[in-house]
Amino acid sequence: MLTRLSRPRALALCALPVLALLGTAALAPLPFTLARPGMTADVLGKEDGRPVITVTGAETRPTEGQLRMTTILATGPKADVRIGALIDGWFRTDRAVMPRDSVYPSRGSEKEIEQHNLDDMKQSQNVAVDAALNYLDREPGSVEVAVDLGDVGGPSAGLFLSLGIIDKLDGDGSGGDLTGGRTVAGTGTITADGKVGPVGGVSMKTQAAHRDGASVFLVPKAECGQAEAERPTGLRLIPVTTLGGAVDSLKALEKGGKVPSC
């Protein structure tokens, strides 16, 4: 025998599975990472008392201004991120909610993931040297370049390491600095032939750059929208797709020429 339910009772019964699902989601860890602005480092200067870039086998020039690579500080790859924290992160401008796989693309233990990121940084350093020497038309191996960024992992400092090497060896090519004496920050991967690639957490990196005194931020062009969405007041965004384009933009900025914008 079937019994007809009243509308309120029917709605209440239908809501039970939804409430159960929400309750489970509130208690279960979710595949997201919470990020916030991390440290920045001037690749033209020192980090923990040691030069970030050391060139041997060629004369280097003194530099003015700063070239600051930027980072994010994210919850660990095995951290339990729950729905309450995600909701809080979505409504804060100093936090970003990111898919965990976009921050930690490798699988394995925390130690294995950390080593993977350090290996990525080491590979990025080698490629950054090649990109800079290619830009300057110098033969690979014509100079030795050592890079020391401590335990910073990942490939996103590649562009700025290349710019730092170019500034130390050649400046703007006319006796001046690439920075024009400014504090320039940014992010981006690099390939040996000078292509700039996108990275994660750009909106958090712009905030880190502004916090540490940058007035200009070089951003991979594909991520202009994300950078613009949370751009701090007074921070100028310059989109880049190649190492050569980044150098040209910095030169134009100093000379009052036309500079691309997001």
Side-chain angles (χ1 to χ4, degrees):
M1 178 178 179
L2 297 177
T3 302
R4 184 175 182 181
L5 299 176
S6 66
R7 182 178 176 82
R9 189 177 178 189
L11 289 174
L13 289 174
C14 290
L16 287 176
V18 176
L19 292 174
L21 181 61
L22 289 175
T24 301
L27 296 174
L30 299 170
F32 293 96
T33 293
L34 293 176
R36 58 189 173 91
M39 55 81 76
T40 71
D42 176 20
V43 301
L44 297 175
K46 295 181 178 181
E47 188 66 19
D48 293 331
R50 302 183 300 272
V52 174
I53 296 173
T54 302
V55 179
T56 55
E59 184 177 354
T60 58
R61 52 184 301 281
T63 58
E64 298 290 337
Q66 299 181 12
L67 286 169
R68 288 197 163 269
M69 53 79 66
T70 54
T71 68
I72 60 171
L73 190 59
T75 51
K78 302 299 182 181
D80 288 345
V81 178
R82 301 178 188 274
I83 194 167
L86 293 182
I87 292 172
D88 179 63
W90 275 319
F91 287 98
R92 293 180 59 167
T93 58
D94 62 343
R95 296 290 187 274
V97 177
M98 305 171 64
R100 185 174 294 168
D101 287 348
S102 72
V103 181
Y104 302 108
S106 67
R107 303 291 181 179
S109 67
E110 288 203 32
K111 181 171 285 190
E112 288 170 337
I113 292 172
E114 180 181 353
Q115 186 59 52
H116 173 84
N117 286 341
L118 290 174
D119 291 343
D120 270 357
M121 171 57 82
K122 182 64 177 177
Q123 177 65 21
S124 175
Q125 292 170 1
N126 295 335
V127 174
V129 173
D130 291 342
L133 295 181
N134 286 337
Y135 174 82
L136 294 171
D137 289 326
R138 299 198 183 204
E139 291 293 326
S142 60
V143 298
E144 291 188 13
V145 182
V147 176
D148 186 352
L149 276 170
D151 59 358
V152 175
S156 65
L159 170 62
F160 267 65
L161 292 174
S162 292
L163 290 173
I165 296 166
I166 291 169
D167 205 9
K168 282 180 172 287
L169 288 173
D170 195 53
D172 65 0
S174 303
D177 299 293
L178 278 184
T179 63
R182 300 175 179 83
T183 297
V184 178
T187 190
T189 63
I190 197 74
T191 62
D193 60 356
K195 291 184 176 66
V196 175
V199 295
V202 166
S203 62
M204 295 296 98
K205 291 179 179 181
T206 59
Q207 294 187 39
H210 184 257
R211 179 199 65 206
D212 291 352
S215 58
V216 175
F217 191 92
L218 303 184
V219 58
K221 187 175 181 179
E223 296 178 305
C224 262
Q226 183 185 350
E228 186 66 43
E230 302 290 348
R231 179 180 63 86
T233 301
L235 185 66
R236 181 172 186 172
L237 299 179
I238 298 178
V240 294
T241 58
T242 66
L243 176 59
V247 172
D248 290 344
S249 291
L250 291 176
K251 290 180 180 179
L253 188 65
E254 176 62 11
K255 295 177 181 178
K258 185 175 181 180
V259 180
S261 60
C262 285

